[in-house]
mmCIF file of all heavy atoms in Angstrom:
data_model
loop_
_atom_site.group_PDB
_atom_site.id
_atom_site.type_symbol
_atom_site.label_atom_id
_atom_site.label_comp_id
_atom_site.label_asym_id
_atom_site.label_seq_id
_atom_site.Cartn_x
_atom_site.Cartn_y
_atom_site.Cartn_z
ATOM 1 N N ARG A 1 51.756 68.248 60.575
ATOM 2 C CA ARG A 1 50.677 67.488 59.952
ATOM 3 C C ARG A 1 50.930 65.983 60.084
ATOM 4 O O ARG A 1 50.013 65.199 60.381
ATOM 5 C CB ARG A 1 50.583 67.874 58.478
ATOM 6 C CG ARG A 1 49.502 67.192 57.672
ATOM 7 C CD ARG A 1 48.145 67.728 57.991
ATOM 8 N NE ARG A 1 47.428 66.883 58.917
ATOM 9 C CZ ARG A 1 46.295 67.210 59.503
ATOM 10 N NH1 ARG A 1 45.755 68.383 59.290
ATOM 11 N NH2 ARG A 1 45.721 66.378 60.338
ATOM 12 N N ALA A 2 52.184 65.567 59.883
ATOM 13 C CA ALA A 2 52.527 64.152 60.016
ATOM 14 C C ALA A 2 52.335 63.674 61.448
ATOM 15 O O ALA A 2 51.840 62.565 61.687
ATOM 16 C CB ALA A 2 53.965 63.925 59.557
ATOM 17 N N ALA A 3 52.724 64.518 62.400
ATOM 18 C CA ALA A 3 52.542 64.148 63.810
ATOM 19 C C ALA A 3 51.067 64.045 64.159
ATOM 20 O O ALA A 3 50.641 63.135 64.889
ATOM 21 C CB ALA A 3 53.236 65.170 64.701
ATOM 22 N N ASP A 4 50.270 64.961 63.618
ATOM 23 C CA ASP A 4 48.827 64.914 63.857
ATOM 24 C C ASP A 4 48.240 63.626 63.273
ATOM 25 O O ASP A 4 47.336 63.009 63.855
ATOM 26 C CB ASP A 4 48.178 66.143 63.226
ATOM 27 C CG ASP A 4 46.747 66.351 63.696
ATOM 28 O OD1 ASP A 4 46.418 65.945 64.810
ATOM 29 O OD2 ASP A 4 45.961 66.938 62.937
ATOM 30 N N ASP A 5 48.757 63.205 62.116
ATOM 31 C CA ASP A 5 48.284 61.961 61.512
ATOM 32 C C ASP A 5 48.603 60.758 62.396
ATOM 33 O O ASP A 5 47.825 59.798 62.456
ATOM 34 C CB ASP A 5 48.913 61.769 60.135
ATOM 35 C CG ASP A 5 48.328 62.697 59.085
ATOM 36 O OD1 ASP A 5 47.271 63.317 59.363
ATOM 37 O OD2 ASP A 5 48.920 62.830 58.001
ATOM 38 N N VAL A 6 49.734 60.796 63.065
ATOM 39 C CA VAL A 6 50.064 59.720 64.002
ATOM 40 C C VAL A 6 49.023 59.675 65.128
ATOM 41 O O VAL A 6 48.480 58.614 65.458
ATOM 42 C CB VAL A 6 51.476 59.918 64.592
ATOM 43 C CG1 VAL A 6 51.723 58.957 65.763
ATOM 44 C CG2 VAL A 6 52.530 59.725 63.519
ATOM 45 N N ALA A 7 48.741 60.831 65.716
ATOM 46 C CA ALA A 7 47.784 60.888 66.822
ATOM 47 C C ALA A 7 46.393 60.449 66.379
ATOM 48 O O ALA A 7 45.628 59.896 67.185
ATOM 49 C CB ALA A 7 47.735 62.296 67.405
ATOM 50 N N ASP A 8 46.065 60.660 65.111
ATOM 51 C CA ASP A 8 44.729 60.342 64.596
ATOM 52 C C ASP A 8 44.653 58.970 63.926
ATOM 53 O O ASP A 8 43.588 58.583 63.445
ATOM 54 C CB ASP A 8 44.289 61.411 63.586
ATOM 55 C CG ASP A 8 44.004 62.747 64.238
ATOM 56 O OD1 ASP A 8 43.996 62.819 65.478
ATOM 57 O OD2 ASP A 8 43.804 63.740 63.499
ATOM 58 N N SER A 9 45.751 58.246 63.880
ATOM 59 C CA SER A 9 45.777 56.974 63.168
ATOM 60 C C SER A 9 44.867 55.936 63.820
ATOM 61 O O SER A 9 44.871 55.774 65.046
ATOM 62 C CB SER A 9 47.210 56.432 63.131
ATOM 63 O OG SER A 9 47.227 55.120 62.608
ATOM 64 N N ASP A 10 44.103 55.220 62.997
ATOM 65 C CA ASP A 10 43.270 54.142 63.524
ATOM 66 C C ASP A 10 44.003 52.794 63.475
ATOM 67 O O ASP A 10 43.449 51.758 63.843
ATOM 68 C CB ASP A 10 41.951 54.050 62.759
ATOM 69 C CG ASP A 10 42.154 53.824 61.260
ATOM 70 O OD1 ASP A 10 43.314 53.662 60.826
ATOM 71 O OD2 ASP A 10 41.141 53.809 60.532
ATOM 72 N N ALA A 11 45.266 52.817 63.005
ATOM 73 C CA ALA A 11 46.043 51.584 62.909
ATOM 74 C C ALA A 11 47.034 51.431 64.053
ATOM 75 O O ALA A 11 47.717 50.405 64.148
ATOM 76 C CB ALA A 11 46.788 51.558 61.570
ATOM 77 N N LEU A 12 47.133 52.442 64.884
ATOM 78 C CA LEU A 12 48.105 52.414 65.985
ATOM 79 C C LEU A 12 47.389 52.407 67.325
ATOM 80 O O LEU A 12 46.364 53.081 67.498
ATOM 81 C CB LEU A 12 49.023 53.635 65.917
ATOM 82 C CG LEU A 12 49.931 53.767 64.688
ATOM 83 C CD1 LEU A 12 50.645 55.114 64.715
ATOM 84 C CD2 LEU A 12 50.939 52.633 64.639
ATOM 85 N N SER A 13 47.933 51.669 68.283
ATOM 86 C CA SER A 13 47.425 51.699 69.652
ATOM 87 C C SER A 13 47.873 52.983 70.315
ATOM 88 O O SER A 13 48.813 53.641 69.840
ATOM 89 C CB SER A 13 47.965 50.511 70.435
ATOM 90 O OG SER A 13 49.370 50.664 70.627
ATOM 91 N N PRO A 14 47.228 53.381 71.427
ATOM 92 C CA PRO A 14 47.708 54.572 72.138
ATOM 93 C C PRO A 14 49.182 54.483 72.502
ATOM 94 O O PRO A 14 49.917 55.473 72.387
ATOM 95 C CB PRO A 14 46.814 54.608 73.379
ATOM 96 C CG PRO A 14 45.553 53.942 72.939
ATOM 97 C CD PRO A 14 45.983 52.853 72.017
ATOM 98 N N GLU A 15 49.626 53.310 72.916
ATOM 99 C CA GLU A 15 51.038 53.152 73.296
ATOM 100 C C GLU A 15 51.949 53.338 72.093
ATOM 101 O O GLU A 15 53.018 53.976 72.182
ATOM 102 C CB GLU A 15 51.252 51.763 73.909
ATOM 103 C CG GLU A 15 50.541 51.530 75.230
ATOM 104 C CD GLU A 15 49.043 51.293 75.073
ATOM 105 O OE1 GLU A 15 48.585 50.970 73.936
ATOM 106 O OE2 GLU A 15 48.330 51.435 76.081
ATOM 107 N N ALA A 16 51.540 52.798 70.940
ATOM 108 C CA ALA A 16 52.350 52.948 69.733
ATOM 109 C C ALA A 16 52.379 54.410 69.279
ATOM 110 O O ALA A 16 53.401 54.911 68.804
ATOM 111 C CB ALA A 16 51.799 52.054 68.625
ATOM 112 N N LYS A 17 51.254 55.096 69.417
ATOM 113 C CA LYS A 17 51.218 56.523 69.068
ATOM 114 C C LYS A 17 52.188 57.313 69.935
ATOM 115 O O LYS A 17 52.945 58.153 69.432
ATOM 116 C CB LYS A 17 49.806 57.072 69.232
ATOM 117 C CG LYS A 17 48.793 56.545 68.232
ATOM 118 C CD LYS A 17 47.396 57.116 68.517
ATOM 119 C CE LYS A 17 46.374 56.576 67.535
ATOM 120 N NZ LYS A 17 45.014 57.106 67.789
ATOM 121 N N LEU A 18 52.165 57.055 71.237
ATOM 122 C CA LEU A 18 53.049 57.786 72.145
ATOM 123 C C LEU A 18 54.515 57.515 71.806
ATOM 124 O O LEU A 18 55.349 58.430 71.822
ATOM 125 C CB LEU A 18 52.755 57.392 73.588
ATOM 126 C CG LEU A 18 51.387 57.830 74.130
ATOM 127 C CD1 LEU A 18 51.160 57.268 75.528
ATOM 128 C CD2 LEU A 18 51.272 59.342 74.159
ATOM 129 N N ALA A 19 54.830 56.254 71.486
ATOM 130 C CA ALA A 19 56.203 55.917 71.133
ATOM 131 C C ALA A 19 56.617 56.615 69.837
ATOM 132 O O ALA A 19 57.728 57.143 69.717
ATOM 133 C CB ALA A 19 56.341 54.403 70.981
ATOM 134 N N ARG A 20 55.727 56.612 68.867
ATOM 135 C CA ARG A 20 56.029 57.243 67.590
ATOM 136 C C ARG A 20 56.225 58.752 67.758
ATOM 137 O O ARG A 20 57.136 59.350 67.185
ATOM 138 C CB ARG A 20 54.899 56.947 66.603
ATOM 139 C CG ARG A 20 55.144 57.397 65.180
ATOM 140 C CD ARG A 20 56.177 56.512 64.482
ATOM 141 N NE ARG A 20 55.757 55.132 64.442
ATOM 142 C CZ ARG A 20 54.964 54.599 63.522
ATOM 143 N NH1 ARG A 20 54.472 55.373 62.570
ATOM 144 N NH2 ARG A 20 54.672 53.319 63.533
ATOM 145 N N LEU A 21 55.361 59.404 68.542
ATOM 146 C CA LEU A 21 55.484 60.849 68.753
ATOM 147 C C LEU A 21 56.763 61.190 69.511
ATOM 148 O O LEU A 21 57.415 62.205 69.234
ATOM 149 C CB LEU A 21 54.255 61.371 69.489
ATOM 150 C CG LEU A 21 52.943 61.336 68.685
ATOM 151 C CD1 LEU A 21 51.746 61.603 69.594
ATOM 152 C CD2 LEU A 21 52.979 62.345 67.541
ATOM 153 N N ALA A 22 57.128 60.348 70.481
ATOM 154 C CA ALA A 22 58.381 60.581 71.209
ATOM 155 C C ALA A 22 59.577 60.473 70.274
ATOM 156 O O ALA A 22 60.533 61.259 70.352
ATOM 157 C CB ALA A 22 58.506 59.588 72.361
ATOM 158 N N ALA A 23 59.533 59.496 69.353
ATOM 159 C CA ALA A 23 60.620 59.345 68.392
ATOM 160 C C ALA A 23 60.692 60.542 67.454
ATOM 161 O O ALA A 23 61.784 60.984 67.073
ATOM 162 C CB ALA A 23 60.413 58.054 67.597
ATOM 163 N N MET A 24 59.539 61.070 67.074
ATOM 164 C CA MET A 24 59.527 62.254 66.225
ATOM 165 C C MET A 24 60.160 63.442 66.924
ATOM 166 O O MET A 24 60.897 64.226 66.312
ATOM 167 C CB MET A 24 58.093 62.583 65.806
ATOM 168 C CG MET A 24 57.470 61.588 64.855
ATOM 169 S SD MET A 24 55.812 62.074 64.281
ATOM 170 C CE MET A 24 56.217 63.368 63.104
ATOM 171 N N GLU A 25 59.888 63.580 68.218
ATOM 172 C CA GLU A 25 60.488 64.699 68.951
ATOM 173 C C GLU A 25 62.003 64.531 69.035
ATOM 174 O O GLU A 25 62.748 65.512 68.862
ATOM 175 C CB GLU A 25 59.884 64.814 70.349
ATOM 176 C CG GLU A 25 60.474 65.981 71.123
ATOM 177 C CD GLU A 25 59.725 66.325 72.402
ATOM 178 O OE1 GLU A 25 58.630 65.767 72.624
ATOM 179 O OE2 GLU A 25 60.252 67.152 73.176
ATOM 180 N N ARG A 26 62.468 63.318 69.288
ATOM 181 C CA ARG A 26 63.917 63.098 69.350
ATOM 182 C C ARG A 26 64.567 63.420 68.008
ATOM 183 O O ARG A 26 65.619 64.070 67.949
ATOM 184 C CB ARG A 26 64.211 61.647 69.747
ATOM 185 C CG ARG A 26 63.869 61.313 71.193
ATOM 186 C CD ARG A 26 64.482 59.986 71.608
ATOM 187 N NE ARG A 26 63.939 58.864 70.836
ATOM 188 C CZ ARG A 26 62.854 58.180 71.164
ATOM 189 N NH1 ARG A 26 62.183 58.497 72.270
ATOM 190 N NH2 ARG A 26 62.440 57.164 70.415
ATOM 191 N N ALA A 27 63.913 62.981 66.931
ATOM 192 C CA ALA A 27 64.464 63.243 65.605
ATOM 193 C C ALA A 27 64.494 64.739 65.310
ATOM 194 O O ALA A 27 65.447 65.258 64.715
ATOM 195 C CB ALA A 27 63.637 62.511 64.553
ATOM 196 N N LEU A 28 63.459 65.445 65.738
ATOM 197 C CA LEU A 28 63.400 66.890 65.498
ATOM 198 C C LEU A 28 64.498 67.605 66.267
ATOM 199 O O LEU A 28 65.199 68.466 65.712
ATOM 200 C CB LEU A 28 62.027 67.424 65.914
ATOM 201 C CG LEU A 28 61.849 68.948 65.849
ATOM 202 C CD1 LEU A 28 62.034 69.450 64.429
ATOM 203 C CD2 LEU A 28 60.475 69.342 66.378
ATOM 204 N N ARG A 29 64.652 67.278 67.520
ATOM 205 C CA ARG A 29 65.664 67.969 68.332
ATOM 206 C C ARG A 29 67.075 67.666 67.845
ATOM 207 O O ARG A 29 67.960 68.526 67.916
ATOM 208 C CB ARG A 29 65.492 67.594 69.795
ATOM 209 C CG ARG A 29 64.201 68.152 70.419
ATOM 210 C CD ARG A 29 64.172 67.968 71.927
ATOM 211 N NE ARG A 29 62.942 68.461 72.526
ATOM 212 C CZ ARG A 29 62.684 69.735 72.809
ATOM 213 N NH1 ARG A 29 63.601 70.663 72.520
ATOM 214 N NH2 ARG A 29 61.543 70.099 73.359
ATOM 215 N N ALA A 30 67.271 66.448 67.329
ATOM 216 C CA ALA A 30 68.608 66.052 66.869
ATOM 217 C C ALA A 30 68.872 66.461 65.433
ATOM 218 O O ALA A 30 70.034 66.458 64.986
ATOM 219 C CB ALA A 30 68.763 64.539 67.012
ATOM 220 N N GLY A 31 67.807 66.784 64.683
ATOM 221 C CA GLY A 31 67.990 67.069 63.265
ATOM 222 C C GLY A 31 68.389 65.831 62.492
ATOM 223 O O GLY A 31 69.227 65.890 61.586
ATOM 224 N N ASP A 32 67.806 64.704 62.841
ATOM 225 C CA ASP A 32 68.144 63.401 62.267
ATOM 226 C C ASP A 32 67.943 63.411 60.754
ATOM 227 O O ASP A 32 66.817 63.526 60.261
ATOM 228 C CB ASP A 32 67.259 62.330 62.915
ATOM 229 C CG ASP A 32 67.670 60.917 62.539
ATOM 230 O OD1 ASP A 32 68.445 60.767 61.575
ATOM 231 O OD2 ASP A 32 67.210 59.969 63.207
ATOM 232 N N ALA A 33 69.025 63.258 60.009
ATOM 233 C CA ALA A 33 68.952 63.296 58.542
ATOM 234 C C ALA A 33 68.151 62.144 57.971
ATOM 235 O O ALA A 33 67.684 62.214 56.823
ATOM 236 C CB ALA A 33 70.360 63.294 57.957
ATOM 237 N N ALA A 34 68.005 61.061 58.757
ATOM 238 C CA ALA A 34 67.224 59.914 58.286
ATOM 239 C C ALA A 34 65.724 60.180 58.327
ATOM 240 O O ALA A 34 64.940 59.383 57.809
ATOM 241 C CB ALA A 34 67.554 58.673 59.124
ATOM 242 N N GLU A 35 65.344 61.280 58.971
ATOM 243 C CA GLU A 35 63.926 61.643 59.077
ATOM 244 C C GLU A 35 63.718 62.977 58.350
ATOM 245 O O GLU A 35 63.933 64.049 58.907
ATOM 246 C CB GLU A 35 63.514 61.775 60.550
ATOM 247 C CG GLU A 35 63.789 60.542 61.389
ATOM 248 C CD GLU A 35 63.009 59.335 60.906
ATOM 249 O OE1 GLU A 35 61.985 59.525 60.205
ATOM 250 O OE2 GLU A 35 63.402 58.205 61.204
#
């Protein structure tokens, strides 16, 4: 749901959305405790 909100955000540019989603994937795969 949070990732979908990133993709649907009207405050982020397409480039910022892609960067944010990529960071979310890295955090998920790593199990980043900060996220």
Side-chain angles (χ1 to χ4, degrees):
R1 181 74 261 170
D4 193 28
D5 286 347
V6 169
D8 290 352
S9 172
D10 58 4
L12 296 173
S13 68
E15 294 76 18
K17 291 178 181 180
L18 293 175
R20 187 73 59 85
L21 292 168
M24 291 184 75
E25 181 168 351
R26 290 194 296 272
L28 174 61
R29 292 190 181 279
D32 188 345
E35 304 298 339

